[in-house]
mmCIF file of all heavy atoms in Angstrom:
data_model
loop_
_atom_site.group_PDB
_atom_site.id
_atom_site.type_symbol
_atom_site.label_atom_id
_atom_site.label_comp_id
_atom_site.label_asym_id
_atom_site.label_seq_id
_atom_site.Cartn_x
_atom_site.Cartn_y
_atom_site.Cartn_z
ATOM 1 N N VAL X 102 85.819 8.902 -320.596
ATOM 2 C CA VAL X 102 85.554 9.857 -319.524
ATOM 3 C C VAL X 102 85.692 11.279 -320.066
ATOM 4 O O VAL X 102 86.479 11.532 -320.974
ATOM 5 C CB VAL X 102 86.544 9.633 -318.350
ATOM 6 C CG1 VAL X 102 86.453 10.752 -317.314
ATOM 7 C CG2 VAL X 102 86.290 8.276 -317.693
ATOM 8 N N ALA X 103 84.915 12.197 -319.506
ATOM 9 C CA ALA X 103 85.069 13.621 -319.815
ATOM 10 C C ALA X 103 86.087 14.210 -318.843
ATOM 11 O O ALA X 103 85.962 14.050 -317.629
ATOM 12 C CB ALA X 103 83.740 14.343 -319.674
ATOM 13 N N PHE X 104 87.099 14.861 -319.398
ATOM 14 C CA PHE X 104 88.194 15.427 -318.619
ATOM 15 C C PHE X 104 88.279 16.939 -318.806
ATOM 16 O O PHE X 104 87.772 17.492 -319.783
ATOM 17 C CB PHE X 104 89.538 14.834 -319.053
ATOM 18 C CG PHE X 104 89.747 13.386 -318.708
ATOM 19 C CD1 PHE X 104 89.400 12.384 -319.611
ATOM 20 C CD2 PHE X 104 90.311 13.005 -317.491
ATOM 21 C CE1 PHE X 104 89.609 11.040 -319.306
ATOM 22 C CE2 PHE X 104 90.528 11.679 -317.171
ATOM 23 C CZ PHE X 104 90.175 10.696 -318.079
ATOM 24 N N THR X 105 88.965 17.575 -317.903
ATOM 25 C CA THR X 105 89.398 18.956 -318.057
ATOM 26 C C THR X 105 90.805 19.029 -317.463
ATOM 27 O O THR X 105 91.491 18.013 -317.399
ATOM 28 C CB THR X 105 88.417 19.934 -317.373
ATOM 29 O OG1 THR X 105 88.797 21.270 -317.679
ATOM 30 C CG2 THR X 105 88.379 19.733 -315.877
ATOM 31 N N THR X 106 91.233 20.219 -317.032
ATOM 32 C CA THR X 106 92.534 20.341 -316.371
ATOM 33 C C THR X 106 92.375 21.189 -315.112
ATOM 34 O O THR X 106 91.309 21.747 -314.849
ATOM 35 C CB THR X 106 93.580 21.005 -317.284
ATOM 36 O OG1 THR X 106 93.241 22.392 -317.463
ATOM 37 C CG2 THR X 106 93.661 20.314 -318.637
ATOM 38 N N THR X 107 93.448 21.291 -314.358
ATOM 39 C CA THR X 107 93.423 22.100 -313.134
ATOM 40 C C THR X 107 93.263 23.587 -313.446
ATOM 41 O O THR X 107 93.043 24.384 -312.531
ATOM 42 C CB THR X 107 94.707 21.883 -312.320
ATOM 43 O OG1 THR X 107 95.849 22.139 -313.159
ATOM 44 C CG2 THR X 107 94.791 20.460 -311.789
ATOM 45 N N LYS X 108 93.344 23.979 -314.713
ATOM 46 C CA LYS X 108 93.111 25.380 -315.088
ATOM 47 C C LYS X 108 91.642 25.772 -314.899
ATOM 48 O O LYS X 108 91.336 26.945 -314.723
ATOM 49 C CB LYS X 108 93.516 25.618 -316.550
ATOM 50 C CG LYS X 108 95.009 25.540 -316.811
ATOM 51 C CD LYS X 108 95.298 25.771 -318.294
ATOM 52 C CE LYS X 108 96.779 25.664 -318.600
ATOM 53 N NZ LYS X 108 97.049 25.828 -320.052
ATOM 54 N N MET X 109 90.756 24.789 -314.959
ATOM 55 C CA MET X 109 89.338 25.084 -314.757
ATOM 56 C C MET X 109 89.093 25.379 -313.282
ATOM 57 O O MET X 109 89.584 24.676 -312.405
ATOM 58 C CB MET X 109 88.465 23.900 -315.205
ATOM 59 C CG MET X 109 86.971 24.113 -314.952
ATOM 60 S SD MET X 109 85.930 22.801 -315.634
ATOM 61 C CE MET X 109 85.925 23.282 -317.377
ATOM 62 N N ASP X 110 88.313 26.427 -313.011
ATOM 63 C CA ASP X 110 88.042 26.772 -311.620
ATOM 64 C C ASP X 110 87.093 25.754 -310.996
ATOM 65 O O ASP X 110 86.318 25.086 -311.688
ATOM 66 C CB ASP X 110 87.467 28.183 -311.515
ATOM 67 C CG ASP X 110 86.094 28.296 -312.141
ATOM 68 O OD1 ASP X 110 85.104 28.025 -311.446
ATOM 69 O OD2 ASP X 110 86.014 28.640 -313.340
ATOM 70 N N ASP X 111 87.153 25.628 -309.678
ATOM 71 C CA ASP X 111 86.402 24.601 -308.963
ATOM 72 C C ASP X 111 84.894 24.750 -309.140
ATOM 73 O O ASP X 111 84.178 23.750 -309.274
ATOM 74 C CB ASP X 111 86.744 24.641 -307.470
ATOM 75 C CG ASP X 111 88.155 24.144 -307.185
ATOM 76 O OD1 ASP X 111 88.852 23.745 -308.140
ATOM 77 O OD2 ASP X 111 88.550 24.141 -306.000
ATOM 78 N N ASP X 112 84.393 25.983 -309.144
ATOM 79 C CA ASP X 112 82.952 26.191 -309.250
ATOM 80 C C ASP X 112 82.409 25.711 -310.596
ATOM 81 O O ASP X 112 81.324 25.120 -310.666
ATOM 82 C CB ASP X 112 82.609 27.666 -309.045
ATOM 83 C CG ASP X 112 82.755 28.099 -307.589
ATOM 84 O OD1 ASP X 112 82.799 27.208 -306.713
ATOM 85 O OD2 ASP X 112 82.841 29.318 -307.339
ATOM 86 N N THR X 113 83.160 25.970 -311.658
ATOM 87 C CA THR X 113 82.723 25.522 -312.984
ATOM 88 C C THR X 113 82.723 24.003 -313.061
ATOM 89 O O THR X 113 81.772 23.387 -313.566
ATOM 90 C CB THR X 113 83.630 26.104 -314.087
ATOM 91 O OG1 THR X 113 83.548 27.532 -314.058
ATOM 92 C CG2 THR X 113 83.212 25.607 -315.461
ATOM 93 N N ALA X 114 83.790 23.372 -312.568
ATOM 94 C CA ALA X 114 83.863 21.906 -312.577
ATOM 95 C C ALA X 114 82.729 21.302 -311.759
ATOM 96 O O ALA X 114 82.127 20.290 -312.143
ATOM 97 C CB ALA X 114 85.215 21.447 -312.036
ATOM 98 N N TYR X 115 82.433 21.921 -310.630
ATOM 99 C CA TYR X 115 81.344 21.462 -309.770
ATOM 100 C C TYR X 115 80.009 21.552 -310.507
ATOM 101 O O TYR X 115 79.223 20.588 -310.529
ATOM 102 C CB TYR X 115 81.299 22.318 -308.498
ATOM 103 C CG TYR X 115 80.093 22.056 -307.616
ATOM 104 C CD1 TYR X 115 80.108 21.040 -306.664
ATOM 105 C CD2 TYR X 115 78.946 22.846 -307.736
ATOM 106 C CE1 TYR X 115 78.994 20.805 -305.854
ATOM 107 C CE2 TYR X 115 77.837 22.619 -306.932
ATOM 108 C CZ TYR X 115 77.867 21.598 -305.994
ATOM 109 O OH TYR X 115 76.762 21.375 -305.206
ATOM 110 N N GLN X 116 79.751 22.700 -311.122
ATOM 111 C CA GLN X 116 78.472 22.916 -311.794
ATOM 112 C C GLN X 116 78.302 21.980 -312.982
ATOM 113 O O GLN X 116 77.213 21.435 -313.213
ATOM 114 C CB GLN X 116 78.350 24.373 -312.247
ATOM 115 C CG GLN X 116 76.935 24.784 -312.620
ATOM 116 C CD GLN X 116 75.967 24.658 -311.454
ATOM 117 O OE1 GLN X 116 76.280 25.052 -310.334
ATOM 118 N NE2 GLN X 116 74.798 24.084 -311.698
ATOM 119 N N LEU X 117 79.362 21.784 -313.762
ATOM 120 C CA LEU X 117 79.296 20.883 -314.917
ATOM 121 C C LEU X 117 78.971 19.461 -314.469
ATOM 122 O O LEU X 117 78.113 18.783 -315.050
ATOM 123 C CB LEU X 117 80.620 20.886 -315.679
ATOM 124 C CG LEU X 117 80.961 22.143 -316.477
ATOM 125 C CD1 LEU X 117 82.377 22.041 -317.026
ATOM 126 C CD2 LEU X 117 79.971 22.347 -317.622
ATOM 127 N N THR X 118 79.658 18.996 -313.439
ATOM 128 C CA THR X 118 79.478 17.625 -312.960
ATOM 129 C C THR X 118 78.100 17.427 -312.341
ATOM 130 O O THR X 118 77.412 16.437 -312.623
ATOM 131 C CB THR X 118 80.572 17.281 -311.933
ATOM 132 O OG1 THR X 118 81.861 17.519 -312.517
ATOM 133 C CG2 THR X 118 80.485 15.825 -311.504
ATOM 134 N N LYS X 119 77.683 18.368 -311.526
ATOM 135 C CA LYS X 119 76.367 18.297 -310.882
ATOM 136 C C LYS X 119 75.257 18.282 -311.924
ATOM 137 O O LYS X 119 74.329 17.464 -311.862
ATOM 138 C CB LYS X 119 76.200 19.488 -309.941
ATOM 139 C CG LYS X 119 74.884 19.528 -309.154
ATOM 140 C CD LYS X 119 74.916 20.716 -308.187
ATOM 141 C CE LYS X 119 73.701 20.718 -307.253
ATOM 142 N NZ LYS X 119 72.460 21.019 -307.973
ATOM 143 N N THR X 120 75.351 19.181 -312.897
ATOM 144 C CA THR X 120 74.323 19.266 -313.932
ATOM 145 C C THR X 120 74.277 18.000 -314.775
ATOM 146 O O THR X 120 73.203 17.509 -315.131
ATOM 147 C CB THR X 120 74.568 20.488 -314.838
ATOM 148 O OG1 THR X 120 74.634 21.667 -314.025
ATOM 149 C CG2 THR X 120 73.464 20.643 -315.867
ATOM 150 N N TYR X 121 75.453 17.446 -315.086
ATOM 151 C CA TYR X 121 75.519 16.215 -315.890
ATOM 152 C C TYR X 121 74.730 15.090 -315.219
ATOM 153 O O TYR X 121 73.863 14.464 -315.838
ATOM 154 C CB TYR X 121 76.977 15.798 -316.071
ATOM 155 C CG TYR X 121 77.146 14.419 -316.687
ATOM 156 C CD1 TYR X 121 76.957 14.225 -318.046
ATOM 157 C CD2 TYR X 121 77.503 13.323 -315.903
ATOM 158 C CE1 TYR X 121 77.111 12.965 -318.611
ATOM 159 C CE2 TYR X 121 77.661 12.071 -316.457
ATOM 160 C CZ TYR X 121 77.463 11.895 -317.809
ATOM 161 O OH TYR X 121 77.605 10.639 -318.367
ATOM 162 N N TRP X 122 75.023 14.839 -313.952
ATOM 163 C CA TRP X 122 74.359 13.731 -313.269
ATOM 164 C C TRP X 122 72.876 14.008 -313.041
ATOM 165 O O TRP X 122 72.036 13.096 -313.137
ATOM 166 C CB TRP X 122 75.057 13.433 -311.944
ATOM 167 C CG TRP X 122 76.376 12.724 -312.135
ATOM 168 C CD1 TRP X 122 77.612 13.271 -312.055
ATOM 169 C CD2 TRP X 122 76.565 11.346 -312.461
ATOM 170 N NE1 TRP X 122 78.583 12.319 -312.313
ATOM 171 C CE2 TRP X 122 77.966 11.131 -312.560
ATOM 172 C CE3 TRP X 122 75.700 10.279 -312.671
ATOM 173 C CZ2 TRP X 122 78.511 9.877 -312.862
ATOM 174 C CZ3 TRP X 122 76.236 9.028 -312.969
ATOM 175 C CH2 TRP X 122 77.626 8.838 -313.063
ATOM 176 N N GLU X 123 72.523 15.246 -312.768
ATOM 177 C CA GLU X 123 71.122 15.563 -312.523
ATOM 178 C C GLU X 123 70.285 15.529 -313.804
ATOM 179 O O GLU X 123 69.073 15.310 -313.749
ATOM 180 C CB GLU X 123 71.002 16.937 -311.856
ATOM 181 C CG GLU X 123 71.525 16.943 -310.418
ATOM 182 C CD GLU X 123 71.370 18.294 -309.743
ATOM 183 O OE1 GLU X 123 71.077 19.274 -310.445
ATOM 184 O OE2 GLU X 123 71.552 18.353 -308.510
ATOM 185 N N GLN X 124 70.928 15.707 -314.939
ATOM 186 C CA GLN X 124 70.217 15.690 -316.219
ATOM 187 C C GLN X 124 70.302 14.340 -316.934
ATOM 188 O O GLN X 124 69.734 14.174 -318.013
ATOM 189 C CB GLN X 124 70.776 16.782 -317.145
ATOM 190 C CG GLN X 124 70.474 18.198 -316.673
ATOM 191 C CD GLN X 124 68.987 18.450 -316.574
ATOM 192 O OE1 GLN X 124 68.234 18.265 -317.522
ATOM 193 N NE2 GLN X 124 68.542 18.868 -315.396
ATOM 194 N N LYS X 125 70.998 13.387 -316.344
ATOM 195 C CA LYS X 125 71.203 12.097 -317.016
ATOM 196 C C LYS X 125 69.881 11.379 -317.302
ATOM 197 O O LYS X 125 69.703 10.795 -318.375
ATOM 198 C CB LYS X 125 72.112 11.198 -316.185
ATOM 199 C CG LYS X 125 72.651 10.001 -316.978
ATOM 200 C CD LYS X 125 73.456 9.091 -316.109
ATOM 201 C CE LYS X 125 72.577 8.235 -315.220
ATOM 202 N NZ LYS X 125 71.759 7.251 -316.003
ATOM 203 N N ALA X 126 68.947 11.433 -316.377
ATOM 204 C CA ALA X 126 67.652 10.780 -316.590
ATOM 205 C C ALA X 126 66.917 11.394 -317.779
ATOM 206 O O ALA X 126 66.318 10.677 -318.596
ATOM 207 C CB ALA X 126 66.797 10.881 -315.325
ATOM 208 N N THR X 127 66.983 12.715 -317.884
ATOM 209 C CA THR X 127 66.342 13.397 -319.013
ATOM 210 C C THR X 127 67.012 13.004 -320.326
ATOM 211 O O THR X 127 66.336 12.763 -321.340
ATOM 212 C CB THR X 127 66.418 14.925 -318.828
ATOM 213 O OG1 THR X 127 65.756 15.284 -317.617
ATOM 214 C CG2 THR X 127 65.763 15.649 -319.992
ATOM 215 N N MET X 128 68.342 12.929 -320.319
ATOM 216 C CA MET X 128 69.059 12.536 -321.532
ATOM 217 C C MET X 128 68.759 11.090 -321.904
ATOM 218 O O MET X 128 68.647 10.749 -323.085
ATOM 219 C CB MET X 128 70.563 12.743 -321.343
ATOM 220 C CG MET X 128 70.978 14.205 -321.226
ATOM 221 S SD MET X 128 72.766 14.493 -321.356
ATOM 222 C CE MET X 128 73.372 13.695 -319.850
ATOM 223 N N THR X 129 68.592 10.220 -320.892
ATOM 224 C CA THR X 129 68.288 8.812 -321.153
ATOM 225 C C THR X 129 66.941 8.663 -321.837
ATOM 226 O O THR X 129 66.749 7.768 -322.675
ATOM 227 C CB THR X 129 68.294 8.011 -319.833
ATOM 228 O OG1 THR X 129 69.567 8.143 -319.203
ATOM 229 C CG2 THR X 129 68.025 6.531 -320.087
ATOM 230 N N ALA X 130 65.999 9.525 -321.505
ATOM 231 C CA ALA X 130 64.669 9.458 -322.117
ATOM 232 C C ALA X 130 64.722 9.711 -323.619
ATOM 233 O O ALA X 130 63.883 9.197 -324.368
ATOM 234 C CB ALA X 130 63.741 10.477 -321.454
ATOM 235 N N SER X 131 65.725 10.470 -324.064
ATOM 236 C CA SER X 131 65.833 10.770 -325.493
ATOM 237 C C SER X 131 66.877 9.917 -326.209
ATOM 238 O O SER X 131 66.859 9.818 -327.434
ATOM 239 C CB SER X 131 66.170 12.256 -325.692
ATOM 240 O OG SER X 131 67.402 12.583 -325.074
ATOM 241 N N ALA X 132 67.786 9.297 -325.456
ATOM 242 C CA ALA X 132 68.821 8.438 -326.056
ATOM 243 C C ALA X 132 69.205 7.347 -325.060
ATOM 244 O O ALA X 132 69.737 7.636 -323.990
ATOM 245 C CB ALA X 132 70.051 9.264 -326.429
ATOM 246 N N LYS X 133 68.910 6.104 -325.407
ATOM 247 C CA LYS X 133 69.047 4.994 -324.459
ATOM 248 C C LYS X 133 70.476 4.728 -324.027
ATOM 249 O O LYS X 133 70.702 4.076 -323.005
ATOM 250 C CB LYS X 133 68.440 3.724 -325.062
ATOM 251 C CG LYS X 133 66.925 3.786 -325.197
ATOM 252 C CD LYS X 133 66.368 2.477 -325.713
ATOM 253 C CE LYS X 133 64.847 2.529 -325.806
ATOM 254 N NZ LYS X 133 64.290 1.262 -326.327
ATOM 255 N N TRP X 134 71.470 5.221 -324.800
ATOM 256 C CA TRP X 134 72.850 4.911 -324.420
ATOM 257 C C TRP X 134 73.230 5.506 -323.067
ATOM 258 O O TRP X 134 74.152 5.044 -322.417
ATOM 259 C CB TRP X 134 73.840 5.339 -325.498
ATOM 260 C CG TRP X 134 73.728 6.739 -326.018
ATOM 261 C CD1 TRP X 134 73.662 7.902 -325.312
ATOM 262 C CD2 TRP X 134 73.676 7.127 -327.399
ATOM 263 N NE1 TRP X 134 73.583 8.987 -326.136
ATOM 264 C CE2 TRP X 134 73.591 8.557 -327.436
ATOM 265 C CE3 TRP X 134 73.712 6.431 -328.606
ATOM 266 C CZ2 TRP X 134 73.537 9.265 -328.630
ATOM 267 C CZ3 TRP X 134 73.655 7.150 -329.792
ATOM 268 C CH2 TRP X 134 73.565 8.547 -329.794
ATOM 269 N N TRP X 135 72.488 6.529 -322.610
ATOM 270 C CA TRP X 135 72.789 7.096 -321.295
ATOM 271 C C TRP X 135 72.350 6.159 -320.171
ATOM 272 O O TRP X 135 72.783 6.304 -319.031
ATOM 273 C CB TRP X 135 72.098 8.453 -321.127
ATOM 274 C CG TRP X 135 72.636 9.485 -322.062
ATOM 275 C CD1 TRP X 135 71.997 10.034 -323.135
ATOM 276 C CD2 TRP X 135 73.937 10.075 -322.027
ATOM 277 N NE1 TRP X 135 72.833 10.933 -323.777
ATOM 278 C CE2 TRP X 135 74.023 10.985 -323.119
ATOM 279 C CE3 TRP X 135 75.037 9.930 -321.186
ATOM 280 C CZ2 TRP X 135 75.160 11.730 -323.376
ATOM 281 C CZ3 TRP X 135 76.173 10.683 -321.444
ATOM 282 C CH2 TRP X 135 76.232 11.563 -322.532
ATOM 283 N N GLY X 136 71.490 5.192 -320.498
ATOM 284 C CA GLY X 136 71.027 4.249 -319.493
ATOM 285 C C GLY X 136 72.133 3.361 -318.947
ATOM 286 O O GLY X 136 72.019 2.801 -317.859
ATOM 287 N N GLY X 137 73.220 3.227 -319.704
ATOM 288 C CA GLY X 137 74.331 2.402 -319.254
ATOM 289 C C GLY X 137 75.292 3.139 -318.341
ATOM 290 O O GLY X 137 76.288 2.551 -317.885
ATOM 291 N N VAL X 138 75.024 4.416 -318.083
ATOM 292 C CA VAL X 138 75.907 5.212 -317.206
ATOM 293 C C VAL X 138 75.308 5.251 -315.807
ATOM 294 O O VAL X 138 74.176 5.683 -315.615
ATOM 295 C CB VAL X 138 76.060 6.653 -317.740
ATOM 296 C CG1 VAL X 138 76.901 7.486 -316.782
ATOM 297 C CG2 VAL X 138 76.691 6.642 -319.124
ATOM 298 N N ASP X 139 76.064 4.779 -314.851
ATOM 299 C CA ASP X 139 75.635 4.862 -313.453
ATOM 300 C C ASP X 139 76.871 5.018 -312.567
ATOM 301 O O ASP X 139 77.998 5.132 -313.068
ATOM 302 C CB ASP X 139 74.815 3.634 -313.046
ATOM 303 C CG ASP X 139 75.555 2.322 -313.274
ATOM 304 O OD1 ASP X 139 76.800 2.318 -313.250
ATOM 305 O OD2 ASP X 139 74.887 1.285 -313.461
ATOM 306 N N ALA X 140 76.641 5.006 -311.257
ATOM 307 C CA ALA X 140 77.743 5.225 -310.316
ATOM 308 C C ALA X 140 78.834 4.173 -310.429
ATOM 309 O O ALA X 140 79.996 4.434 -310.093
ATOM 310 C CB ALA X 140 77.201 5.267 -308.888
ATOM 311 N N ASP X 141 78.483 2.976 -310.927
ATOM 312 C CA ASP X 141 79.483 1.914 -311.066
ATOM 313 C C ASP X 141 80.596 2.303 -312.040
ATOM 314 O O ASP X 141 81.726 1.829 -311.922
ATOM 315 C CB ASP X 141 78.829 0.617 -311.542
ATOM 316 C CG ASP X 141 77.953 -0.030 -310.468
ATOM 317 O OD1 ASP X 141 78.122 0.335 -309.282
ATOM 318 O OD2 ASP X 141 77.111 -0.875 -310.815
ATOM 319 N N LEU X 142 80.272 3.165 -313.006
ATOM 320 C CA LEU X 142 81.285 3.569 -313.997
ATOM 321 C C LEU X 142 82.346 4.486 -313.402
ATOM 322 O O LEU X 142 83.372 4.732 -314.034
ATOM 323 C CB LEU X 142 80.623 4.265 -315.194
ATOM 324 C CG LEU X 142 79.838 3.391 -316.176
ATOM 325 C CD1 LEU X 142 79.503 4.186 -317.428
ATOM 326 C CD2 LEU X 142 80.597 2.131 -316.554
ATOM 327 N N MET X 143 82.124 4.971 -312.198
ATOM 328 C CA MET X 143 83.140 5.798 -311.545
ATOM 329 C C MET X 143 84.435 5.018 -311.343
ATOM 330 O O MET X 143 85.517 5.601 -311.285
ATOM 331 C CB MET X 143 82.620 6.311 -310.204
ATOM 332 C CG MET X 143 81.492 7.318 -310.309
ATOM 333 S SD MET X 143 81.960 8.836 -311.162
ATOM 334 C CE MET X 143 83.169 9.512 -310.010
ATOM 335 N N ALA X 144 84.312 3.696 -311.256
ATOM 336 C CA ALA X 144 85.500 2.848 -311.094
ATOM 337 C C ALA X 144 86.391 2.904 -312.328
ATOM 338 O O ALA X 144 87.584 2.564 -312.263
ATOM 339 C CB ALA X 144 85.082 1.410 -310.820
ATOM 340 N N ASN X 145 85.844 3.340 -313.467
ATOM 341 C CA ASN X 145 86.627 3.441 -314.704
ATOM 342 C C ASN X 145 87.550 4.653 -314.714
ATOM 343 O O ASN X 145 88.415 4.765 -315.584
ATOM 344 C CB ASN X 145 85.700 3.507 -315.919
ATOM 345 C CG ASN X 145 84.946 2.205 -316.151
ATOM 346 O OD1 ASN X 145 85.361 1.150 -315.681
ATOM 347 N ND2 ASN X 145 83.839 2.288 -316.864
ATOM 348 N N ILE X 146 87.355 5.576 -313.768
ATOM 349 C CA ILE X 146 88.243 6.740 -313.675
ATOM 350 C C ILE X 146 89.479 6.314 -312.905
ATOM 351 O O ILE X 146 89.445 6.131 -311.688
ATOM 352 C CB ILE X 146 87.539 7.919 -312.964
ATOM 353 C CG1 ILE X 146 86.322 8.371 -313.780
ATOM 354 C CG2 ILE X 146 88.517 9.083 -312.773
ATOM 355 C CD1 ILE X 146 85.516 9.481 -313.108
ATOM 356 N N THR X 147 90.574 6.132 -313.635
ATOM 357 C CA THR X 147 91.790 5.616 -313.010
ATOM 358 C C THR X 147 92.745 6.713 -312.551
ATOM 359 O O THR X 147 93.725 6.435 -311.870
ATOM 360 C CB THR X 147 92.535 4.685 -313.989
ATOM 361 O OG1 THR X 147 92.740 5.384 -315.233
ATOM 362 C CG2 THR X 147 91.710 3.433 -314.260
ATOM 363 N N GLY X 148 92.462 7.959 -312.919
ATOM 364 C CA GLY X 148 93.305 9.075 -312.494
ATOM 365 C C GLY X 148 92.594 9.926 -311.466
ATOM 366 O O GLY X 148 91.620 9.507 -310.845
ATOM 367 N N LYS X 149 93.074 11.135 -311.297
ATOM 368 C CA LYS X 149 92.508 12.033 -310.291
ATOM 369 C C LYS X 149 91.305 12.800 -310.822
ATOM 370 O O LYS X 149 91.244 13.147 -312.003
ATOM 371 C CB LYS X 149 93.586 13.008 -309.803
ATOM 372 C CG LYS X 149 94.706 12.323 -309.022
ATOM 373 C CD LYS X 149 95.635 13.339 -308.402
ATOM 374 C CE LYS X 149 96.744 12.653 -307.618
ATOM 375 N NZ LYS X 149 96.200 11.822 -306.503
#
């Protein structure tokens, strides 16, 4: 998982996360390993 800390402001964390998911399809087109990432992997986040 990609992590940060509470030192990061909410807007930056929001933008990073939003951009990551919205660009995942584009990244998958160039590297197939992104194809294995979907909403089901959210269950792997065991912390906050």
Side-chain angles (χ1 to χ4, degrees):
V102 171
F104 291 92
T105 187
T106 69
T107 54
K108 291 179 181 177
M109 177 174 282
D110 67 87
D111 289 359
D112 287 343
T113 299
Y115 172 86
Q116 195 61 44
L117 289 173
T118 305
K119 182 176 187 291
T120 304
Y121 170 77
W122 286 103
E123 290 182 348
Q124 292 300 305
K125 195 184 76 67
T127 300
M128 292 192 293
T129 302
S131 60
K133 291 184 178 179
W134 50 50
W135 294 110
V138 176
D139 56 27
D141 289 342
L142 287 192
M143 292 298 294
N145 292 339
I146 297 177
T147 53
K149 293 188 180 299

